[in-house]
Amino acid sequence: MGQVYLEREEEAACVIMCASVKYNIRGPALIPRMKSKHRIYYITLFSIVLLGLIATGMFQFWPHSIESSSDWSVEKRSVRDVPVVRLPADSPIPERGDLSCRMHTCFDVYRCGFNPKNKIKVYIYSLKKYVDDFGVPVSNTISREYNELLTAISDSDYYTDDISRACLFVPSIDVLNQNTLRIKETAQALAQLSRWDRGTNHLLFNMLPGGPPDYNTALDVPRDRALLAGGGFSTWTYRQGYDVSIPVYSPLSAEVELPEKGPGPRRYFLLSSQPAVHPEYREDLEALQARHGEAVLVLDKCTNLSEGVLSVRRRCHKHQVFDYPQVLQEATFCVVLRGARLGQAVLSDVLRAGCVPVVIADSYVLPFSEVLDWKRASVVVPEEKMSEAYSILQSIPQRQIEEMQRQARWFWEAYFQSIKAIALATLQIINDRIYPYAALSYEEWNDPPTVKRGSVSNPLFLPLIPPQSQGFTAIVLTYDRVESLFRVITEVSKVPSLSKLLVVWNNQNKNPPEDSLWPKIRVPLKVVRTAENKLSNRFFPYDEIETEAVLAIDDDIIMLTSDELQFGYEVWREFPDRLVGYPGRLHLWDHEMNKWKYESEWTNEVSMVLTGAAFYHKYFNYLYTYKMPGDIKNWVDAHMNCEDIAMNFLVANVTGKAVIKVTPRKKFKCPECTAIDGLSLDQTHMVERSECINKFASVFGTMPLKVVEHRADPVLYKDDFPEKLKSFPNIGSL
Amino acid sequence: MQSWRGKSLWLALSASWLLILLRVFPLLRLAVPARPWASAPQGWPRWLDTELLPSFSQPGELPEDAPQPPQAPRGGGCDWGACFDASKCRTGGLKVFVHPVAGPISASHRKILASIESSRYHTASPEEACLLLFLSLEVPAGECSPVPQQWNGGRNHLVLDLHPAPCPQTFQLGRAMVAKASPTVDTFRPGFDVALPLLPEAHPLRGGAPGQLRQHSPHPGVPLLALAEERGGWRTAGTDPSTCPWDGRCEQDRGPEQTHPGGTLPNATFCLIPGHRPDALHFLQALQAGCIPVLLSPRWELPFSEVIDWTKAAIVADERLPFQVLAALQEMPLTRVLALRQQTQFLWDAYFSSVEKVMHTTLEIIQDRIFGASAHASLLWNSPPGALLALPTFSTSLSDFPFYHLQWGSRPVGRFSALIWVGAPGQPPLKLIQAVAGSQNCAQILVLWSSEKPPPSRWPETAVPLTVMDGQRKVSDRFFPHRAISTDAILSLDAHSSVTTSEVDFAFLVWQSFPERMVGFLTWNHFWDEAQGGWGYTAERANEFSMVLTSAAFYHRYYHTLFTHSLPKALRTLADETPTCVDILMNFLVAAVTKLPPIKVPYGKQHFEATPPLVPGGPEPQPTARDCINQMAAGFGYMPLVSSRLRLDPVLFKDPVSVLRKKYRSLEKP
């Protein structure tokens, strides 16, 4: 909404501006004939009029654009003023939860029809206050956290206010804490929701399930088919693939400032900070402390604190007082023991402190375990094995511990730190189930940003040597050098593994020669005419390309021998995820200019190959055309240069691997023609190419090119061995 | 003048107001109905008294949870913590005992038994074992297999149930885990039971057929969809979006299509598999064919779902939305299709292609549960070469392995250790030590003294630390993961090898680009010998090679761990008995892991040639050595070696340019 008003305001500003402009245009015709006194008078008059106009405009439009639209749209209301709904004592109660529910049995997926964004639509029922026949409220109307949660959903992309288009319904009845509600009446309140329909597609959030004395591990409110996002599920109550296990939010997350502390060894190896631990467990913990001394610290609640000190924020060991949660940052491992409930808010505090949780709660389903890999951030110890916990932890190498500390902190930041984070992760999990082909990957859920930045996932990761019989498609980009083109075609057609030849005719003003004039070759030859003379046409993923291997070749490359090309193809088969080319080039860091420099000298290193003749996988054509970062593609087309450098950047960036230069070839021009290129021409060329490298490095945000000092030659190249027995005897020189 | 002034004043005023009327009022009119109070598309309201709302848990309530004594596991229910006693495994490692099977057993059961017995976890004594395996047999309907001895209430038992049980409740399972082919989702206990694939009767014991994928991207002409048919075959359907791929699920006619008989594998980009149980067999076929499985609301648990991230290789979709699924498949980005296709092949090759792999994967999963924090990381399971070939006992840091540098954004650690094996003649390789120590990248020299003669007391002064270790007089000892090896890279040498410093330097540089491969100087090539009907290999110089000699080669130290701990004992014994075999075995191992050929770098001493180092006589290997390649191939179940036709040279190698330009000019000396 706010967006619309902003635009309106701009429009209004334009009206005023346009008006004044129009006045000014008319002005000069009148004013010059007047005396300066009058002129001032009129100008003042018009200014007043104009100011009035601006003021009106401001008055009309200003206030709406600065206020957030929803604040402005809904009159300020109090939670106390929400409508009251009386629930008759005999109103229906839903069935108890159905333990056999799965997405394909209990979830109505037809409500979440196909949509291009692959996002579910979530509707929130409006807030009501439910009372029983005697006017006694059923529960607290709403808690701060549940209000925050609904606000977060409402502000997210998932939200819809159209109940008929919604796929998921979130009741505003707050069931976060089972102890604050009356079970039967809450169930009745759920049952009378307008789209309840046995709870189909309804999502309930609950963090504190069960109540004394037996503390069930799932919400006791009968809810039929509704999905439950619950904190504290056990494997017995958790419906795998249907429910979502969520964390118990720790209010300390918002209350306490806790600066991040990096991973590394800490003062205590193992810490137990929970004040209410069952005596049996406390005995076990204290036995651990007795055995391992200083390295283990077991804290309890403080008994001797003076009035007024928040006991929630203090822990004691004998007479020593510790600040909580700060003390968690002093420990490498922190115990998260089950209480009466399996889910404990302390888990959130522990993760935040970068302390690795040692979860001792049999059958507990860890938060978001459907997507999060808890092995990377926690250690799970069976309750029976508590006495062995210390030795189990001791066997973990330090490097792995630091990795786990980092991971723990990252989980907190991404999925625990606020009610909003919890709500959005829950919806994302459900979204992933409904649109599985658009689901987030394991890496997207689990890899911390530092890993995501450094890692490369090679799109052609499977080690696979394509069969030789497949052959390659040669793509010749040409403008009008027909004679030279025909020579290239004739030469290339001699290569045994060529399976098709594609000529990209980049000249719109001239038709390609008639069919009869083309050289007769043994493989299909196809001419593609382009709409515009662009360099990127060379890297277009033409439907005509049927092989995986593509040979890009210029229409003037006639010096490469058939053996050389065939060998190039063989090398590509062994490195199908790389650019395999002939002359190599290098990028260098220019310390004086503080930028990258293009180098074509004959050095011992290569980081690029020229695509005047290069083999590569046809998938890179798709990437070049559709996934090139930034404006590089257009930039190359506009400058008519550096398409090869762009391709080198793209392939190196996506695969993380270096190019393969084959055979001695250092340049394409025939040796006798080098003199034609003037020195100055050469220099401007070098400057332009250097500019390209700098431009691309800034667009990619990194320098993806890899420098290597090797090239590929045939096994017996220049060996003392009879030439006629060599597979590729005719390898050209520089 | 006055009237003129008045006129112009009026003119100006009226013009301004006209402007206001014309321009601003319509705007206001437009603006008014758009205001939210009219149509009210409201979100969740911002309450005035948000600050006053109570928290869902009162301060103190969270930590003050009423404590409760530990609960015993619920009646009948079992999970890992409650029903498995891992303490025995933690001290002695995972040891598996198989209850002897009474009566006749089928061929597939025999394969299972054989594959477990070949596993490094197998033990013959039930006392030593921490996991007891019980094979549930097919018995005539109505009868049930007897409860074995030492059943112990099923504690630490794994019941292997490969066929839909004819006897519904074979016996009281007690605390036993069940490894079952395609278990139904409702009875499967995640984290306790193991879901196996439904294997066809003829599944090979070892090796197995490789994946069918020959190219990374789908071939342009290939149909988009293949559908699993009730009768067991596949039907390919056109790509026309208006055609309905489902039987009886939509009204339109089906498009042009072809039906394929049962045995053939589907040739399509996606394979639609309905979710009923018998279709689990289709699932493996699709996987092998590199056809991305699209599972429609499967009622069965996907195989090894505890460790395999199936979202990377298959799509689990809702059968109620056929058109939505179809549209999503058609619009799927090429990048995703490529990734899914390749993952199917990797998973097939790593875990499913043979009975042995399936059984070893099952044991590895249980081993991982015992290991807890030091189990395989998810990446080890889900990226090549797979968890059976990436041992977590080597390291829990991914960057220590040669395979994950790209995904992890790391690189192999700086320098190399030279490991010189001194065999029978017992000549201290003084010249070799000098040449290797001259390399700037050399971190240490380790001499593995395996000769009967005592090692000399004095060794030459070198710039790098030199350690002499007493070897075990066994050839396989040279591939033992000695503690003294401190670097990722190992330069393996024989006492009589001869290399120059610059050869070593360049080879090491190349190895850093290919840390998962072997980089060597001398090569052998294998070939299929029609006349003998077996594999052969030759040391003669050829245009191709598939092995590099370990008498001078760089490789990652991880292969020592793999050689010692993952290879079947029989193969290592074979190598000890026939020393030439050790080279072949190492090359087999690395090729089986990487599926790629080794790398050859230039070597000056051409006269030295690739004579097998320990075999006197001509270039042709001895008959016993010839046998050895065939025995190795039988042991692996297939021929893993891959040939290469290239050699990596320095960029200016033997080029007609000034010698001064060249960094590795001494490589070119004849």
Side-chain angles (χ1 to χ4, degrees):
Chain A
M1 266 340 268
Q3 191 55 41
V4 174
Y5 280 88
L6 269 171
E7 280 165 19
R8 285 270 154 72
E9 192 196 18
E10 277 165 28
E11 213 177 304
C14 164
V15 168
I16 296 157
M17 291 280 287
C18 303
S20 64
V21 167
K22 276 191 180 140
Y23 158 74
N24 281 336
I25 291 165
R26 230 180 282 172
L30 285 165
I31 293 164
R33 278 184 278 159
M34 288 183 275
K35 283 175 190 161
S36 62
K37 185 172 90 182
H38 298 134
R39 198 190 295 176
I40 290 163
Y41 170 72
Y42 284 119
I43 289 173
T44 323
L45 187 76
F46 289 139
S47 311
I48 291 166
V49 172
L50 272 174
L51 275 175
L53 223 158
I54 291 167
T56 327
M58 298 280 262
F59 178 76
Q60 286 292 336
F61 301 102
W62 182 261
H64 323 315
S65 55
I66 54 163
E67 263 181 287
S68 105
S69 61
S70 48
D71 270 18
W72 178 77
S73 62
V74 181
E75 74 258 53
K76 289 283 186 184
R77 278 189 298 159
S78 160
V79 175
R80 273 164 301 169
D81 304 337
V82 298
V84 175
V85 177
R86 184 177 293 269
L87 296 166
D90 58 348
S91 61
I93 304 176
E95 300 270 316
R96 286 207 59 85
D98 181 356
L99 262 180
S100 66
C101 262
R102 294 289 178 274
M103 286 310 262
H104 64 261
T105 56
C106 293
F107 194 86
D108 179 7
V109 79
Y110 295 111
R111 289 184 196 271
C112 323
F114 184 69
N115 79 52
K117 277 202 216 140
N118 292 325
K119 276 250 165 181
I120 52 169
K121 289 278 165 220
V122 184
Y123 175 81
I124 306 174
Y125 287 98
S126 59
L127 189 61
K128 305 258 169 61
K129 183 177 181 178
Y130 295 92
V131 295
D132 63 11
D133 272 338
F134 308 100
V136 183
V138 165
S139 65
N140 286 341
T141 315
I142 191 166
S143 67
R144 193 190 317 141
E145 285 80 8
Y146 200 55
N147 179 50
E148 241 173 80
L149 193 146
L150 296 181
T151 309
I153 296 177
S154 156
D155 289 348
S156 72
D157 287 349
Y158 297 107
Y159 180 72
T160 180
D161 59 353
D162 183 354
I163 194 164
S164 58
R165 284 178 55 218
C167 144
L168 199 62
F169 304 89
V170 180
S172 58
I173 302 164
D174 180 359
V175 293
L176 276 184
N177 183 352
Q178 189 183 314
N179 284 347
T180 60
L181 50 86
R182 292 158 67 189
I183 290 171
K184 179 182 156 230
E185 287 77 5
T186 307
Q188 288 174 327
L190 286 173
Q192 55 76 51
L193 290 171
S194 59
R195 299 270 169 143
W196 177 249
D197 183 25
R198 299 191 60 198
T200 311
N201 292 21
H202 280 63
L203 174 66
L204 304 179
F205 285 89
N206 167 252
M207 287 181 181
L208 300 175
D214 51 354
Y215 286 97
N216 198 348
T217 53
L219 180 68
D220 282 318
V221 176
R223 53 186 191 280
D224 210 342
R225 295 174 152 189
L227 296 115
L228 182 60
F233 275 118
S234 78
T235 44
W236 318 116
T237 49
Y238 179 63
R239 293 171 290 182
Q240 180 108 24
Y242 193 66
D243 290 328
V244 182
S245 175
I246 60 168
V248 181
Y249 175 69
S250 165
L252 293 181
S253 293
E255 281 170 26
V256 186
E257 284 280 320
L258 197 66
E260 190 179 343
K261 189 174 172 183
R266 294 176 174 187
R267 193 168 155 206
Y268 304 106
F269 185 69
L270 182 63
L271 172 77
S272 159
S273 63
Q274 286 159 284
V277 173
H278 189 266
E280 251 179 63
Y281 291 145
R282 186 166 291 283
E283 266 173 39
D284 284 353
L285 287 170
E286 273 160 6
L288 275 180
Q289 187 171 20
R291 217 176 316 148
H292 304 286
E294 286 285 279
V296 181
L297 180 65
V298 181
L299 299 175
D300 202 348
K301 54 177 166 288
C302 299
T303 46
N304 53 353
L305 282 184
S306 55
E307 291 285 313
V309 183
L310 255 181
S311 65
V312 187
R313 303 275 313 276
R314 295 279 184 280
R315 297 285 187 276
C316 289
H317 174 64
K318 292 183 182 143
H319 296 291
Q320 233 180 324
V321 183
F322 295 87
D323 281 333
Y324 183 86
Q326 286 82 351
V327 66
L328 296 173
Q329 291 193 324
E330 300 298 316
T332 308
F333 290 100
C334 294
V335 174
V336 178
L337 250 177
R338 70 184 300 162
R341 297 190 178 96
L342 283 172
Q344 296 285 319
V346 69
L347 176 62
S348 176
D349 297 335
V350 164
L351 293 173
R352 183 189 190 188
C355 184
V356 181
V358 180
V359 182
I360 309 179
D362 284 358
S363 82
Y364 177 41
V365 180
L366 281 158
F368 303 130
S369 59
E370 187 173 339
V371 290
L372 297 191
D373 183 357
W374 280 98
K375 257 201 268 177
R376 285 169 71 169
S378 71
V379 182
V380 177
V381 176
E383 287 172 30
E384 227 178 274
K385 302 279 158 5
M386 206 155 122
S387 51
E388 295 166 34
Y390 192 85
S391 54
I392 293 174
L393 300 178
Q394 279 273 295
S395 67
I396 304 174
Q398 182 60 30
R399 258 164 86 194
Q400 194 186 353
I401 292 176
E402 284 174 24
E403 208 60 64
M404 291 169 108
Q405 287 176 317
R406 245 188 294 270
Q407 192 72 14
R409 172 76 193 183
W410 149 248
F411 276 178
W412 181 80
E413 277 169 18
Y415 310 112
F416 279 71
Q417 70 166 322
S418 63
I419 287 283
K420 182 180 175 184
I422 296 171
L424 294 185
T426 309
L427 293 183
Q428 182 68 51
I429 288 175
I430 296 171
N431 198 74
D432 282 3
R433 292 180 193 159
I434 293 166
Y435 302 108
Y437 26 79
L440 293 186
S441 67
Y442 170 89
E443 286 76 17
E444 284 168 300
W445 280 106
N446 288 288
D447 282 353
T450 46
V451 173
K452 280 188 193 132
R453 240 177 285 129
S455 75
V456 176
S457 67
N458 185 355
L460 305 170
F461 63 84
L462 188 73
L464 188 72
I465 298 187
Q468 193 191 35
S469 55
Q470 212 183 82
F472 65 88
T473 306
I475 303 183
V476 193
L477 184 75
T478 189
Y479 191 72
D480 57 1
R481 289 185 285 199
V482 175
E483 193 186 329
S484 146
L485 169 71
F486 284 180
R487 268 186 75 189
V488 169
I489 292 175
T490 319
E491 286 303 313
V492 172
S493 70
K494 290 177 191 156
V495 183
S497 283
L498 177 75
S499 77
K500 192 184 222 178
L501 217 150
L502 204 63
V503 174
V504 179
W505 190 262
N506 224 0
N507 188 345
Q508 287 75 39
N509 306 321
K510 203 166 138 188
N511 287 334
E514 274 177 45
D515 286 352
S516 57
L517 299 175
W518 290 81
K520 300 282 169 288
I521 56 172
R522 57 171 185 91
V523 296
L525 188 153
K526 196 133 193 205
V527 183
V528 185
R529 300 198 60 180
T530 59
E532 228 179 314
N533 179 20
K534 287 196 296 191
L535 273 182
S536 56
N537 288 338
R538 123 171 300 173
F539 297 133
F540 188 82
Y542 297 100
D543 287 339
E544 285 81 0
I545 308 173
E546 284 177 286
T547 60
E548 286 200 290
V550 168
L551 166 68
I553 187 159
D554 281 349
D555 60 358
D556 59 347
I557 308 293
I558 43 171
M559 71 296 289
L560 291 175
T561 65
S562 167
D563 267 356
E564 240 170 327
L565 286 170
Q566 180 65 23
F567 178 66
Y569 172 64
E570 298 285 347
V571 172
W572 175 85
R573 285 179 53 228
E574 291 190 33
F575 301 99
D577 53 347
R578 305 195 190 213
L579 267 177
V580 174
Y582 296 85
R585 293 292 180 261
L586 186 66
H587 71 285
L588 286 172
W589 183 253
D590 188 336
H591 286 284
E592 278 170 35
M593 307 288 284
N594 246 344
K595 56 184 196 178
W596 295 107
K597 192 174 141 233
Y598 180 79
E599 179 65 85
S600 64
E601 280 290 321
W602 299 351
T603 62
N604 289 286
E605 296 167 319
V606 281
S607 63
M608 292 176 271
V609 290
L610 301 183
T611 55
F615 288 93
Y616 57 86
H617 196 282
K618 71 170 175 184
Y619 171 68
F620 296 127
N621 270 354
Y622 163 82
L623 282 188
Y624 187 98
T625 308
Y626 300 112
K627 305 280 165 176
M628 182 64 94
D631 60 340
I632 290 182
K633 191 166 160 257
N634 292 332
W635 195 85
V636 165
D637 284 337
H639 287 70
M640 282 300 246
N641 197 354
C642 298
E643 88 286 8
D644 51 348
I645 299 182
M647 191 58 149
N648 274 280
F649 265 74
L650 183 77
V651 177
N653 187 55
V654 78
T655 63
K657 294 183 178 179
V659 294
I660 301 277
K661 170 188 163 39
V662 285
T663 71
R665 203 61 75 174
K666 304 274 179 284
K667 56 182 189 289
F668 278 139
K669 296 279 177 288
C670 43
E672 61 271 26
C673 353
T674 40
I676 301 166
D677 292 330
L679 192 68
S680 62
L681 186 69
D682 211 41
Q683 264 174 358
T684 47
H685 175 70
M686 298 301 285
V687 169
E688 265 181 38
R689 305 278 280 180
S690 295
E691 256 175 48
C692 292
I693 294 185
N694 283 298
K695 156 91 186 165
F696 298 164
S698 76
V699 173
F700 277 86
T702 171
M703 169 48 77
L705 299 179
K706 303 266 180 296
V707 181
V708 289
E709 299 188 33
H710 52 249
R711 72 167 198 235
D713 288 326
V715 174
L716 299 173
Y717 175 72
K718 294 237 168 159
D719 271 3
D720 182 18
F721 197 73
E723 288 294 317
K724 61 174 193 283
L725 293 179
K726 290 184 181 176
S727 295
F728 307 100
N730 192 9
I731 298 290
S733 188
L734 310 181
Chain B
M1 189 67 196
Q2 197 72 18
S3 66
W4 182 86
R5 197 205 288 170
K7 248 188 232 167
S8 53
L9 182 73
W10 275 115
L11 193 72
L13 271 175
S14 48
S16 322
W17 283 114
L18 205 68
L19 268 172
I20 292 170
L21 279 172
L22 283 179
R23 293 294 189 149
V24 179
F25 277 2
L27 261 183
L28 288 181
R29 268 218 320 272
L30 274 177
V32 170
R35 282 193 186 164
W37 66 58
S39 65
Q42 49 189 315
W44 184 250
R46 269 40 173 181
W47 305 104
L48 273 174
D49 37 10
T50 309
E51 295 303 313
L52 301 175
L53 292 176
S55 173
F56 79 111
S57 71
Q58 294 314 308
E61 186 186 355
L62 285 181
E64 299 287 341
D65 247 345
Q68 205 190 335
Q71 293 168 333
R74 299 249 184 125
C78 252
D79 69 5
W80 180 257
C83 292
F84 193 89
D85 177 19
S87 52
K88 205 170 173 187
C89 313
R90 221 174 277 128
T91 48
L94 176 64
K95 289 274 177 249
V96 185
F97 172 77
V98 188
H99 282 298
V101 189
I105 51 170
S106 66
S108 57
H109 281 109
R110 201 167 296 122
K111 277 186 220 160
I112 291 171
L113 289 177
S115 62
I116 294 168
E117 273 155 24
S118 75
S119 154
R120 60 176 178 275
Y121 301 125
H122 182 254
T123 176
S125 104
E127 282 75 37
E128 204 187 24
C130 83
L131 178 73
L132 296 105
L133 221 107
F134 179 74
L135 213 61
S136 159
L137 294 177
E138 257 177 304
V139 284
E143 286 178 46
C144 292
S145 338
V147 175
Q149 292 182 329
Q150 289 138 337
W151 177 246
N152 194 15
R155 205 171 235 285
N156 285 24
H157 270 73
L158 177 68
V159 175
L160 264 177
D161 195 359
L162 279 125
H163 302 277
C167 173
Q169 192 61 37
T170 321
F171 39 76
Q172 216 51 44
L173 276 173
R175 297 183 156 193
M177 302 178 282
V178 180
K180 200 176 170 138
S182 315
T184 55
V185 201
D186 297 323
T187 56
F188 184 74
R189 296 167 291 180
F192 190 63
D193 289 341
V194 181
L196 299 181
L198 189 58
L199 298 176
E201 283 290 325
H203 213 56
L205 168 63
R206 217 167 263 137
Q212 277 209 319
L213 212 61
R214 288 288 162 270
Q215 56 177 47
H216 291 92
S217 50
H219 197 266
V222 154
L224 182 74
L225 287 175
L227 300 131
E229 293 217 300
E230 303 271 321
R231 298 183 300 279
W234 291 91
R235 196 178 73 226
T236 49
T239 53
D240 184 4
S242 63
T243 58
C244 177
W246 277 262
D247 282 320
R249 288 195 192 275
C250 28
E251 284 91 40
Q252 294 102 321
D253 289 337
R254 294 191 229 118
E257 57 194 36
Q258 289 173 285
T259 313
H260 303 281
T264 53
L265 295 177
N267 182 18
T269 306
F270 295 100
C271 277
L272 283 173
I273 301 167
H276 313 294
R277 241 187 115 215
D279 290 303
L281 207 55
H282 279 120
F283 179 69
L284 272 198
Q285 284 185 348
L287 214 58
Q288 181 182 6
C291 178
I292 302 162
V294 180
L295 298 153
L296 300 170
S297 305
R299 269 58 149 199
W300 40 280
E301 190 71 20
L302 295 185
F304 306 133
S305 53
E306 186 176 339
V307 290
I308 293 179
D309 181 1
W310 281 107
T311 60
K312 285 186 158 59
I315 292 162
V316 177
D318 200 302
E319 64 182 357
R320 291 169 291 175
L321 301 173
F323 287 107
Q324 182 176 325
V325 174
L326 204 57
L329 297 183
Q330 272 158 351
E331 283 171 25
M332 187 169 288
L334 181 60
T335 313
R336 182 95 205 278
V337 175
L338 271 179
L340 287 165
R341 260 169 78 90
Q342 295 173 69
Q343 190 75 5
T344 59
Q345 292 296 283
F346 152 63
L347 291 175
W348 167 261
D349 274 340
Y351 307 115
F352 297 104
S353 65
S354 71
V355 175
E356 193 175 73
K357 282 175 189 164
V358 170
M359 291 323 297
H360 288 187
T361 307
T362 310
L363 297 182
E364 210 64 41
I365 288 175
I366 290 168
Q367 166 87 318
D368 263 13
R369 293 184 191 159
I370 295 164
F371 275 163
S374 44
H376 288 100
S378 169
L379 185 72
L380 265 57
W381 279 105
N382 292 295
S383 67
L388 298 183
L389 295 169
L391 309 181
T393 44
F394 172 69
S395 168
T396 46
S397 283
L398 297 174
S399 56
D400 283 346
F401 287 90
F403 317 114
Y404 312 109
H405 288 303
L406 270 181
Q407 288 112 310
W408 209 242
S410 57
R411 43 177 47 241
V413 181
R415 307 199 289 162
F416 68 86
S417 306
L419 182 64
I420 306 174
W421 190 75
V422 184
Q427 281 299 319
L430 302 180
K431 230 177 120 185
L432 184 63
I433 288 174
Q434 290 303 345
V436 173
S439 167
Q440 295 214 323
N441 297 311
C442 184
Q444 59 177 159
I445 297 177
L446 302 164
V447 178
L448 191 59
W449 194 266
S450 280
S451 170
E452 297 297 332
K453 277 199 247 169
S457 51
R458 282 175 57 91
W459 290 87
E461 290 285 313
T462 49
V464 292
L466 186 144
T467 318
V468 182
M469 298 184 294
D470 197 20
Q472 284 191 337
R473 320 279 182 277
K474 272 200 303 187
V475 188
S476 60
D477 191 39
R478 61 187 299 179
F479 298 127
F480 186 80
H482 302 282
R483 276 181 180 279
I485 302 169
S486 62
T487 56
D488 282 352
I490 294 175
L491 170 59
S492 168
L493 293 166
D494 273 355
H496 62 275
S497 308
S498 140
V499 286
T500 65
T501 308
S502 59
E503 277 165 353
V504 168
D505 277 338
F506 180 70
F508 178 63
L509 202 70
V510 170
W511 177 84
Q512 283 181 307
S513 293
F514 306 94
E516 78 281 17
R517 303 207 206 180
M518 286 176 90
V519 175
F521 302 92
L522 295 169
T523 55
W524 287 346
N525 196 27
H526 78 286
F527 57 88
W528 179 255
D529 191 340
E530 285 291 346
Q532 308 263 342
W535 295 101
Y537 70 103
T538 171
E540 267 180 73
R541 268 205 282 176
N543 288 296
E544 288 186 355
F545 66 94
S546 55
M547 292 179 267
V548 297
L549 265 67
T550 55
S551 58
F554 277 99
Y555 53 82
H556 198 281
R557 80 185 159 104
Y558 173 66
Y559 290 118
H560 276 202
T561 304
L562 209 55
F563 187 96
T564 310
H565 296 304
S566 92
L567 278 180
K569 204 162 184 309
L571 290 182
R572 269 182 297 141
T573 318
L574 181 70
D576 280 334
E577 286 163 3
T578 325
T580 350
C581 284
V582 84
D583 277 298
I584 299 175
L585 185 53
M586 192 62 170
N587 276 285
F588 263 64
L589 177 69
V590 178
V593 172
T594 60
K595 317 239 182 293
L596 294 170
I599 284 171
K600 177 176 166 58
V601 287
Y603 185 59
K605 285 262 168 53
Q606 292 301 340
H607 65 269
F608 181 68
E609 271 326 313
T611 349
L614 294 155
V615 181
E620 274 304 309
Q622 290 178 324
T624 47
R626 189 178 207 69
D627 267 7
C628 130
I629 192 168
N630 284 306
Q631 288 184 37
M632 298 282 168
F636 275 77
Y638 72 114
M639 167 51 74
L641 296 179
V642 186
S643 292
S644 170
R645 313 190 78 178
L646 59 92
R647 181 182 74 200
L648 291 184
D649 294 335
V651 173
L652 299 177
F653 187 67
K654 295 194 177 172
D655 282 347
V657 296
S658 158
V659 181
L660 296 175
R661 277 183 185 272
K662 297 185 181 178
K663 188 170 164 191
Y664 300 96
R665 58 190 86 121
S666 48
L667 281 187
E668 299 177 17
K669 286 189 190 130

